[in-house]
Each structure stands twice: as C-alpha cells, then as structure tokens.
C-alpha cells in the first residue's frame, strides 16, 4: 500500500508537536512526618517558656537578696550609730540617755557586742550616784557644813592605814578623801595605792557579801582609775555584770535570762542581788518559764530539755511538767492532757529593773 501525501503530511505534523508528559499531583507529606514536626515545635516552645520562667525567678530572687542585704546593712548602721552615741553619752556623764540607747540596741540585737557590758556600766553608775528626793525647804535654818578635819596629813594617813588593817574600807576612803582636801600633794603615790586597795576591796565585798552588784561594779571602776584591778576583782565584776545581763532580760526573754543566769549559776550559784534572790533561784525560774513557753508552742522535746535542766536544781517542783513534756515528745500521748501549761509566777525582784 502506498503512502498517500495526506498521510505523510499528517505523520510529519505529528512529529513536530511537543511531547506532553502526564501531570501528576505533588506527593503530600506523610502524616507521621507531620506529627514529628509539630511535636518538636511544641518542645522547643516549652523550653523557651521554661528558660524565661527561670530567668524571671532568678531575677526576683536576686532582687530580694539585694533588698535583704540593704535592709540588714541599714539596720547595722543604725545600731552602730546608737552604740557610738551611747559611748559618747557615757563619757559625757549622760548616763540615763546612754542606758536608753544600749537597751534599744539589745532589744533589736540581743547579742550585739559590748552592748550588754556598757548597759551594766550605765546602770551601775546610775544606781551608785542616784540622789535622794530633795526635801522641801522649811523655815528652819540649814545645818552648817561638816567641820573640816584639821588633823595633819600624816595623822590622817596613819588613821587610814589603821582602818585598812581592820578592813574598814569605807572608813579608809572617807579619811583619804579628807586628807586630799587638806593636802592634795601629800605622798601622792602612797595615798593613791591605799585608795586603790580600799575601792577594790570594797567593790569585791559589795558584790560577794552585800548583794550590791551595781555598787560593787562602780567601786571597781573607780579603783581602775588608780591602777589595774587583779584577777579576783575582775572575776567578781564579770559575775556581777553577767547577773545584771540576766536581769535585763528577766521575764521578757526567758531564753536569754536562762542563758546568763546559767553562766552565773555554774560558777557562783549563791550570788545574790539586792532583792535577795540567788543566781540559782533565778536560773531555775527562767528555765521553767522558757519551758512553759515552748510547751505551749507545742515544742514538746525542746520544753523537756528545759525542764530537765530545772529538775537538776529543784526536781520535785518540775516533775509533773517534765513527765508531760516527755510523754508528748516520745509520742505516748497524742494531745497534752489538760491543755496548755499555765506559767508559774517568777520571783519578783525589788531591785530596780532596767527599762
């Protein structure tokens, strides 16, 4: 069969047309791959959120620490200024103002260095130099001033030595003061030495035998203007000061009072104040008061520890408290029988209390 011209033309035309491939739709991502991308995106977002949260917390804590440091520094500055002002007041003779400053410091910071020591010094001077209430003037003529001792200085000095032999320390001081008025330059070194001995001995005697702690501290302070006091006198003064520290916290802060009276009790349980109470009695009362405070705060084991210390002094008076606290501490009873403990009355001192 012969090819016709029409057929050849049609075949050539077909050869010149572009070849069209069959179009296929884009392959969609598999569902599993899509889930992984979503999951990783969520995790990444969560990590960013957590990082931001930790950053905010760190910033907040840093700000709080900075504020606390600033507040502490501010409080320390105030206490330091009050302490320095108190020392200045003591040196200037403003003892009552100094007392108020040191009491404020101890109220804010009971362990502030040397504040309790300076307070006891101010109290001792205030008690020793207290003036009686003035008597209203009357029409009666005032009595003449005491007659000046006109004995020669040598005679007065011999009299002072004689009184020292009899341990009449107040008499020694009075005679030597009269000598100084008559003849300030008479045997200065010997007179100063005898005054030191009299003041030192009277100070120790006031602390140990006369229950006059403030007066004893004051005499020893005067003795130091003539010479360094010896070890025995220093111990007596430290015990008196520590006792007075306990009185400064008496009833208001039983844990502090127990601490200071405990120190005195360990060394001199029989040391007394002007009210007649001993260090042992005040230590016992402070322990019981502190134990009652802890018991009523449901701190059974801590209360038991205080009652055990008190039982070492007066076992029968604290036996019931000790038993109740022990049972609660060990879990023998779920609730305190009879409720809270009613605090006992602490000994009332007739001595002047600070504050």
């Amino acid at each position: 069969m012969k090819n016709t011209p029409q057929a050849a033309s049609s075949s050539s035309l077909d050869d010149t047309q572009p070849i069209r491939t069959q179009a296929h739709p884009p392959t969609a991502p598999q569902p599993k791959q899509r889930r992984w991308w979503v999951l990783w995106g969520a995790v990444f977002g969560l990590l960013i959120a957590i990082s931001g949260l930790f950053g905010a917390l760190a910033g907040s804590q840093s700000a709080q620490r900075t504020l606390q440091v600033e507040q502490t520094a501010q409080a320390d500055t105030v206490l330091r200024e009050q302490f320095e002002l108190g020392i200045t007041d003591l040196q200037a003779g403003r003892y009552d103002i100094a007392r108020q400053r040191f009491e404020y410091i101890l109220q804010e910071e009971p362990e502030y260095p040397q504040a309790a020591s300076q307070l006891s010094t101010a109290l001792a001077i205030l008690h020793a130099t207290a003036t009686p209430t003035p008597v209203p003037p009357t029409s009666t003529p005032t009595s003449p001033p005491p007659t000046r001792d006109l004995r020669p200085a040598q005679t007065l000095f011999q009299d002072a030595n004689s009184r020292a032999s009899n341990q009449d320390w107040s008499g020694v001081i009075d005679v030597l003061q009269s000598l100084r008025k008559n003849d300030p330059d008479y045997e200065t070194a010997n007179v100063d030495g005898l005054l030191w001995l009299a003041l030192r001995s009277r100070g120790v005697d006031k602390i140990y035998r006369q229950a006059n702690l403030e007066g004893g501290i004051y005499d020893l302070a005067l003795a130091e203007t003539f010479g360094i006091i010896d070890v025995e006198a220093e111990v007596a003064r430290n015990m008196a000061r520590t006792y007075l520290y306990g009185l400064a916290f008496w009833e208001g802060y039983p844990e502090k009072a127990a601490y200071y009276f405990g120190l005195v009790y360990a060394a001199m349980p029989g040391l007394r104040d002007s009210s007649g109470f001993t260090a042992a009695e005040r230590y016992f009362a402070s322990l019981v008061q502190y134990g009652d405070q802890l018991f009523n705060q449901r701190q059974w084991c801590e209360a038991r520890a205080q009652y055990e210390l008190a039982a070492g002094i007066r076992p029968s008076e604290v036996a019931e408290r000790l038993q109740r606290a022990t049972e609660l501490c060990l879990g023998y009873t779920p609730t305190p029988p009879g409720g809270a403990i009613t605090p006992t009355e602490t000994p009332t001192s007739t001595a002047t209390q600070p504050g």
Side-chain angles (χ1 to χ4, degrees):
M1 179 178 179
K2 297 181 177 180
N3 292 331
T4 62
Q6 292 180 347
S9 176
S10 173
S11 174
S12 299
L13 183 63
D14 292 337
D15 292 340
T16 60
Q17 297 299 316
I19 298 174
R20 295 184 180 181
T21 59
Q22 183 177 358
H24 296 282
T27 303
Q30 296 299 320
K32 184 176 181 179
Q33 293 177 341
R34 184 184 305 168
R35 286 197 300 271
W36 276 107
W37 280 108
V38 172
L39 179 60
W40 279 112
V43 170
F44 184 72
L46 181 60
L47 289 175
I48 293 176
I50 292 175
S51 176
L53 177 60
F54 276 112
L57 288 175
S60 175
Q61 292 176 351
S62 176
Q64 289 178 352
R65 284 195 297 269
T66 302
L67 180 60
Q68 290 175 352
V69 169
E70 291 177 352
Q71 290 176 341
T72 302
Q74 230 176 17
D76 290 343
T77 300
V78 171
L79 294 180
R80 184 171 61 253
E81 289 176 352
Q82 288 298 313
F83 184 82
E84 292 172 354
L85 289 171
I87 295 296
T88 302
D89 289 331
L90 271 180
Q91 295 172 347
R94 297 186 293 269
Y95 305 119
D96 192 54
I97 296 177
R99 173 189 65 81
Q100 295 176 35
R101 293 190 192 279
F102 295 131
E103 285 178 348
Y104 166 76
I105 293 171
L106 290 171
Q107 181 180 358
E108 297 297 318
E109 179 53 62
E111 300 296 337
Y112 195 90
Q114 299 184 15
S117 173
Q118 297 298 333
L119 173 61
S120 70
T121 300
L123 290 172
I125 295 174
L126 282 170
H127 288 301
T129 59
T131 55
T133 305
V135 179
T138 61
S139 57
T140 306
T142 57
S143 57
T147 305
R148 181 182 176 185
D149 194 335
L150 299 178
R151 291 180 295 172
Q154 183 179 6
T155 303
L156 291 173
F157 189 66
Q158 291 174 350
D159 184 15
N161 276 285
S162 176
R163 292 174 183 269
S165 300
N166 297 322
Q167 298 186 359
D168 177 14
W169 306 118
S170 294
V172 172
I173 295 169
D174 292 340
V175 171
L176 291 179
Q177 286 178 339
S178 180
L179 186 156
R180 277 283 165 82
K181 290 178 181 178
N182 291 344
D183 190 348
D185 298 324
Y186 178 82
E187 295 193 23
T188 306
N190 291 329
V191 172
D192 286 352
L194 193 53
L195 273 171
W196 175 89
L197 176 64
L199 288 167
R200 176 265 178 207
S201 300
R202 190 174 73 172
V204 172
D205 189 69
K206 283 182 177 180
I207 292 171
Y208 286 157
R209 298 178 181 83
Q210 300 179 29
N212 184 359
L213 306 182
E214 298 92 344
I217 292 173
Y218 181 65
D219 277 351
L220 293 177
L222 292 177
E224 280 189 314
T225 62
F226 297 98
I228 300 173
I229 62 174
D230 59 295
V231 174
E232 181 188 4
E234 187 64 54
V235 170
R237 178 165 64 180
N238 287 339
M239 287 293 100
R241 281 177 171 173
T242 305
Y243 194 108
L244 291 176
Y245 299 162
L247 279 182
F249 296 107
W250 179 247
E251 293 184 334
Y253 300 90
E255 69 280 13
K256 295 294 183 183
Y259 170 75
Y260 287 113
F261 285 126
L263 295 177
V264 182
Y265 171 76
M268 298 179 183
L271 186 64
R272 297 178 180 272
D273 59 21
S274 58
S275 68
F277 291 110
T278 64
E281 291 170 328
R282 289 196 180 275
Y283 181 45
F284 172 82
S286 298
L287 288 171
V288 174
Q289 184 185 3
Y290 187 33
D292 291 348
Q293 185 181 94
L294 293 169
F295 187 96
N296 292 333
Q297 293 172 356
R298 305 180 73 84
Q299 300 180 45
W300 322 125
C301 297
E302 290 81 356
R304 181 182 69 166
Q306 301 306 312
Y307 294 146
E308 285 176 343
L309 292 172
I313 304 173
R314 297 179 181 176
S316 60
E317 295 185 24
V318 77
E320 183 179 351
R321 282 177 162 80
L322 178 57
Q323 180 181 356
R324 291 177 62 187
T326 300
E327 290 175 351
L328 289 163
C329 176
L330 299 178
Y332 294 157
T333 54
T335 56
I341 285 181
T342 302
T344 56
E345 293 185 2
T346 53
T348 302
S349 171
T350 58
T352 303
Q353 301 293 326

